[in-house]
């Protein structure tokens, strides 16, 4: 308490005492006993009132011991079951939970992980993928500013995500792997990877690349085969040795018939092999009759052109050709969609041919666009001509209905460049992306689509598409997000198929260790997206004829269903709308590939390096007690005493008011009782 406050309190005592003496000690007409009683009560009343006016502040120190956090991560993937390690996991977890000293020293949290991380104790050991890096990074993000060691029960065999050995190199907290499985080297031949196109064109040859590996001590011979049904399409003799333990086989197969074609790659197993599940792998190719041909017309060189080509040709069903305006007019009939990049006066003849042939178009404008020409060349949109430039961003319009779109983080993408001015779409249209400037909606469109007389058109007002594609890669370590978004625009514009009130989208085949999702959109009679509909999908296994019904859940401006629970097989499906006579049917195939069955033992060396990188130590499942003792003995894991100082003003102390009320009431009651009032 400050010295000046203490001085004020002393002065208050003196004033209260002086007033009490003056009132009841100087020429008082009451008895001596009454004077003392009234004087004491009056002193208390005056002093308490003065004390409230001074309002001194008191500090209260409270001490709390904060225990260091200990995160225990458990690999919940099916490889733990394949390696017969479930008992070791349960035994190790039981020791952690029952050790009173450990739970007294640490604040222990338990997580399970496969593709995702979950904070629970429920273990099924059925996850189809293992993402160790994601699990470690998620826990580190929560505890990176605290003393928080991590214990992870895993076999170290990661099937998805970034390399956990390198992604954890900057971690400050120690990571203690508990190794599930042994380090014994078994003789094994396996298919490491198959690379093939998802699509191929009829009568064409398509490449298939297969990576094989061998682990063992001696020289061995085997055969590699690719078959389709009972027909063997390729056969090749192989020999491996400890020094020559990998082979890459590249072959060309012929797409002989249209539709989904399934193939099986096999390396004939050795007699002494323990795991033969990794000797076979299925893959599939969808053979199509023809590609969607797209013409990209530009009179300038720009990084956007390369980004557009990469994005469009990322889908093997599409082919793109770049042409000058002077050359493009004579070849329009060969293409389903014309992309006009930054049109200017040299596009005059091209626009005349587009109008004559009723071609679908995508116009991408920018700082080299001649808007005086463009406003006259077409009647779909126009823009006020202004020499000033602007930097704009995009915001997804959640009410956009022509096709399902997912927000890939448009608000965080780098700005595109365009001329300053209001862009007006003069025909009925749908806004895909709204234009924003510094996060504020400008009221203009950035991307809009329109359907006119059986043709489809779109305007993209802003150059710098390559920046968006690069930003998508930075955010997600993949171009897929942006490429899918741009691909949806291309797919919509390249087709003149009449819209249906119920649209369903699915892949022709899926691998069962990856996401299996089907999406759909339902529109009312005015073709406005209806978010209140009830959609269900009825899925039938064509072999067993088992039927399963799933609800489709609303997600942004489309409905979606996750079918990962289905086993590998061929399926037909029907999507229907409750209380409506509208349905859509289709088919898909789930290919069997259990990546978690590909391992024979734990990745011991990698887990040991993981521990060493964080100044920790790796332990086998049989050494759980040793790990617990190490955690208890490590003096760097200490509780921190937190001192919380609370400053409380006296005016908040309600008892002081009660004392004042009591003193005044007592004085009044005594006076009344003795007939002095």
């Amino acid at each position: 308490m400050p010295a000046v406050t203490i001085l004020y309190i002393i002065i208050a005592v003196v004033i209260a005492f002086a007033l009490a003496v003056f009132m009841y000690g100087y020429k008082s007409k009451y008895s001596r006993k009454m004077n003392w009683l009234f004087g004491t009560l009056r002193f208390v009343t005056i002093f308490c009132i003065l004390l409230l006016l001074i309002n001194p502040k008191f500090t209260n120190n409270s001490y709390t011991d904060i225990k260091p956090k200990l995160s225990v991560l458990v690999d919940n993937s099916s490889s733990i079951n394949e390696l017969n390690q479930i008992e070791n996991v349960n035994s190790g977890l039981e020791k952690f939970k029952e050790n009173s000293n450990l739970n007294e020293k640490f604040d222990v949290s338990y997580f399970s992980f496969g593709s995702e991380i979950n904070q629970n104790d429920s273990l099924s050991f059925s996850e189809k993928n293992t993402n160790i890096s994601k699990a470690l990074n998620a826990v580190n993000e929560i505890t990176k500013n605290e003393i928080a060691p991590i214990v992870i029960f895993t076999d170290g065999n990661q099937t998805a995500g970034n390399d956990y050995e390198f992604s954890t190199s900057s971690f400050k907290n120690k990571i203690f792997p508990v190794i599930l499985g042994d380090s014994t080297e078994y003789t094994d031949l396996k298919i490491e990877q198959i690379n093939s196109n998802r699509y191929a064109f009829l009568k064409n040859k398509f490449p298939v690349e297969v990576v094989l590996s061998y682990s063992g001590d001696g020289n061995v011979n085997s055969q590699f085969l690719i078959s389709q049904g009972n027909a063997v399409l390729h056969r090749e003799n192989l020999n491996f040795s400890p020094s020559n333990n990998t082979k890459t086989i590249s072959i060309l197969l012929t797409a002989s018939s249209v539709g989904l074609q399934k193939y099986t790659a096999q390396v004939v197993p050795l007699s002494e092999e323990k795991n033969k599940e990794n000797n076979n792998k299925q893959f599939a190719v969808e053979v199509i009759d023809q590609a969607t041909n797209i013409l990209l017309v530009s009179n300038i060189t720009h990084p956007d052109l390369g980004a557009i080509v990469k994005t469009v040709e990322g889908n093997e069903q599409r082919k793109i050709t770049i042409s000058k305006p002077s050359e493009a007019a004579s070849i329009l009939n060969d293409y389903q969609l014309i992309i006009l990049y930054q049109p200017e006066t040299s596009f005059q003849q091209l626009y005349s041919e587009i109008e004559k042939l009723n071609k679908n178009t995508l116009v991408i404008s920018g700082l080299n666009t001649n808007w005086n020409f463009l406003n006259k060349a077409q009647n779909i949109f126009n823009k006020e001509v202004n020499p000033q430039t602007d930097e704009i961003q995009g915001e997804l319009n959640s009410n956009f209905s022509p096709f399902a779109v997912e927000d890939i983080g448009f608000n965080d993408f780098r700005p595109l460049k365009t001329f300053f001015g209001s862009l007006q779409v003069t025909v009925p249209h749908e806004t895909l992306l709204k234009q924003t400037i510094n996060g504020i909606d400008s009221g203009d469109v950035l991307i809009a689509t329109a359907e006119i007389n059986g043709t489809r058109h779109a305007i993209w007002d802003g150059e710098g598409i390559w920046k968006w594609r690069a930003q998508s890669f930075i955010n997600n370590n993949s171009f897929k997000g942006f490429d899918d978004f741009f691909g949806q625009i291309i797919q919509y514009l390249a087709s003149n198929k009449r819209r249906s009130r119920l649209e369903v989208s699915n892949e022709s085949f899926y691998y069962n260790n990856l996401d299996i999702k089907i999406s759909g959109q339902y529109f009312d009679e005015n073709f406005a997206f209806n978010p209140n509909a009830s959609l269900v999908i009825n899925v039938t296994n064509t072999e067993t004829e088992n039927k399963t019904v799933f609800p489709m859940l609303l997600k942004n401006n489309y409905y979606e269903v996750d079918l990962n629970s289905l086993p590998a097989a061929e399926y037909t499906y029907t999507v229907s709308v409750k209380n409506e006579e509208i349905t859509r049917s289709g088919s898909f195939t789930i290919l069997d590939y259990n990546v978690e069955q590909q391992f024979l033992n734990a990745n011991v060396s990698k887990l040991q390096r993981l521990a060493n990188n964080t100044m920790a130590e790796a332990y086998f499942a049989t050494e759980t007690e040793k790990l617990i003792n190490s955690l208890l003995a490590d003096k760097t894991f200490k509780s921190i005493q937190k001192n919380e100082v609370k400053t409380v003003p006296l005016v908040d102390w309600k008892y002081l008011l009660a004392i004042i009320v009591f003193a005044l009431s007592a004085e009044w009651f005594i006076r009344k009782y003795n007939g002095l009032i």
Side-chain angles (χ1 to χ4, degrees), residues 24 84 102 113 193 228 280 294 306 362-363 366 388 393 425 445 487 518 525 661:
Y24 295 104
N84 299 316
L102 186 73
F113 68 91
Q193 188 173 344
Q228 185 178 27
N280 299 277
I294 298 162
L362 167 60
V363 176
Q388 296 181 358
Q393 291 176 289
V425 184
V445 301
I518 293 178
E525 293 179 353
V661 172

Side-chain angles (χ1 to χ4, degrees), residues 376-661:
K376 296 175 183 177
Q378 48 76 45
N379 56 6
I380 300 172
F381 50 84
N382 62 71
K383 188 169 185 175
E384 301 171 4
V385 179
N386 194 310
Q388 296 181 358
T389 62
D390 211 347
E391 291 191 341
I392 60 172
Q393 291 176 289
E395 180 182 344
L396 181 65
N397 175 20
S398 59
N399 296 318
F400 181 77
S401 63
F403 51 87
V405 185
E406 188 168 355
D407 192 343
I408 57 174
F410 299 104
N411 292 329
D412 299 325
F413 284 0
R414 295 176 64 184
L416 304 178
K417 291 184 178 180
T418 187
F419 283 117
F420 180 81
S422 178
L423 175 67
Q424 300 294 327
V425 184
T426 57
V427 297
H429 66 281
E430 294 269 3
T431 299
L432 174 54
L433 290 188
K434 297 180 284 187
Q435 185 189 105
T436 63
I437 301 174
N438 296 324
I440 300 172
D441 188 349
S442 68
D444 291 328
V445 301
L446 195 159
I447 304 176
T449 64
E451 295 189 32
I452 309 168
N453 299 325
T455 60
R456 293 178 173 179
H457 305 273
I459 172 67
W460 182 316
D461 185 23
E463 68 174 63
I465 293 173
W466 68 272
K467 298 178 184 177
W468 279 21
R469 190 168 188 262
Q471 188 68 50
S472 177
F473 184 86
I474 292 170
N475 293 347
N476 305 297
N477 293 319
S478 170
F479 293 115
K480 187 177 185 302
F482 178 82
D483 288 357
D484 285 351
F485 166 70
F486 197 89
Q488 287 171 308
I489 297 174
I490 297 298
Q491 182 178 350
Y492 168 75
L493 294 174
S495 171
N496 288 332
K497 185 180 71 173
R498 187 178 176 185
R499 288 177 66 188
S500 164
R501 288 181 57 195
L502 178 59
E503 299 283 355
V504 179
S505 176
N506 68 282
E507 299 287 352
S508 56
F509 68 92
Y510 303 86
Y511 288 103
N512 66 349
N513 63 310
L514 302 176
D515 288 339
I516 304 172
K517 293 181 179 179
I518 293 178
S519 61
Q521 286 185 301
Y522 174 68
F523 306 96
D524 61 23
E525 293 179 353
N526 296 319
F527 280 92
F529 176 71
N530 185 349
N532 301 314
S534 177
L535 271 66
V536 296
I537 181 169
N538 193 318
V539 182
T540 303
N541 186 314
T542 57
E543 184 179 344
T544 64
E545 296 188 355
N546 287 336
K547 295 184 178 181
T548 313
V549 178
F550 299 90
M552 297 187 73
L553 305 179
L554 181 65
K555 184 178 180 183
N556 297 327
N557 62 335
Y558 59 94
Y559 294 87
E560 187 177 72
V561 62
D562 187 335
L563 302 177
N564 277 82
S565 60
L566 295 176
E570 293 183 1
Y571 294 91
T572 59
Y573 70 83
T574 300
V575 176
S576 58
V577 183
K578 188 177 181 181
N579 300 325
E580 292 281 355
E581 297 296 325
I582 300 175
T583 61
R584 282 292 175 272
S585 299
S587 63
F588 62 92
T589 300
I590 300 177
L591 299 179
D592 188 20
Y593 178 58
N594 190 341
V595 68
E596 296 290 332
Q597 291 181 338
Q598 307 303 304
F599 308 105
L600 283 167
N601 44 37
N603 197 334
V604 178
S605 58
K606 196 173 185 69
L607 290 174
Q608 287 175 335
R609 291 195 300 271
L610 171 66
N612 293 336
N613 290 342
T614 58
M615 308 300 290
E617 188 177 349
Y619 297 85
F620 284 95
T622 55
E623 300 176 308
T624 306
E625 286 286 359
K626 184 179 177 182
L627 168 58
I628 292 174
N629 293 333
S630 175
L631 291 169
L632 292 172
D634 196 324
K635 295 183 179 179
T636 59
F637 306 140
K638 296 179 180 178
S639 295
I640 298 174
Q641 191 175 68
K642 182 178 179 182
N643 179 20
E644 186 176 358
V645 180
K646 291 184 179 179
T647 302
V648 183
L650 188 65
V651 73
D652 291 345
W653 197 55
K654 297 180 178 61
Y655 293 110
L656 192 62
L657 181 62
I659 292 172
I660 295 172
V661 172

Side-chain angles (χ1 to χ4, degrees), residues 125-336:
F125 303 104
S126 59
E127 293 275 352
K128 296 179 180 178
N129 276 300
T130 309
N131 195 333
I132 298 174
S133 174
K134 189 172 187 178
L136 290 173
N137 277 282
V139 172
N140 182 66
E141 194 63 30
I142 298 171
T143 61
K144 62 183 177 182
N145 295 322
E146 304 176 63
I147 299 173
I150 301 171
V151 172
I152 179 167
F153 287 78
T154 182
D155 57 12
N157 295 313
Q158 179 164 286
T159 62
N162 299 325
D163 190 314
Y164 62 86
E165 181 184 346
F166 297 103
S167 64
T168 59
S169 58
S170 60
F171 281 23
K172 294 181 180 178
N173 284 314
K174 295 181 178 181
I175 302 174
F176 297 90
V178 178
I179 302 170
L180 302 173
D182 57 44
S183 58
T184 305
E185 289 288 340
Y186 297 99
T187 299
D188 188 44
L189 271 176
K190 72 174 180 177
I191 298 174
E192 290 280 358
Q193 188 173 344
I194 296 180
N195 301 317
S196 68
N197 293 345
R198 192 175 184 92
Y199 302 96
F201 299 111
L202 185 64
K203 305 302 182 184
N204 285 2
K205 290 186 179 292
F206 61 91
V208 178
E209 183 181 72
V210 184
V211 181
L212 307 173
S213 69
Y214 164 70
S215 59
D217 298 329
N219 297 337
V220 296
N221 298 312
S222 183
Q223 270 192 342
F224 173 74
L225 303 93
I226 290 183
S227 58
Q228 185 178 27
N230 296 323
V232 177
L233 305 180
H234 179 82
R235 187 189 300 270
E236 185 174 333
N237 293 322
L238 304 171
N239 53 75
F240 293 92
S241 66
S243 58
N244 181 27
N245 56 7
T246 61
K247 288 189 183 298
T248 301
I249 298 173
S250 299
I251 58 174
L252 292 173
L253 298 178
T254 302
S256 55
S257 57
V258 175
L260 183 66
Q261 306 299 318
K262 293 188 291 184
Y263 303 89
T264 301
Q266 179 189 20
V267 56
V268 177
L270 305 172
S271 58
E272 64 269 30
E273 277 194 71
K274 182 179 179 181
N275 182 6
K276 297 181 181 181
E277 295 288 341
N278 56 18
N279 291 77
N280 299 277
K281 186 176 181 182
Q282 282 188 321
F283 66 98
V285 174
E286 185 175 1
V287 179
I288 54 181
D289 240 339
Q290 59 182 357
T292 300
N293 292 314
I294 298 162
L295 183 63
L296 173 58
V297 185
S298 175
N299 214 16
I300 63 172
T301 302
H302 196 282
D304 281 354
L305 303 180
I308 293 170
V309 171
K310 287 284 188 184
T311 299
V312 171
E313 292 197 336
N315 186 324
E316 294 92 339
Q317 294 185 82
R318 305 184 185 118
K319 298 295 180 185
I320 190 166
T321 303
I322 300 180
S323 174
K324 294 287 185 182
S326 57
E327 304 164 350
S330 62
I331 57 174
L332 289 185
N333 266 329
D334 297 332
Y335 300 93
Q336 289 83 44

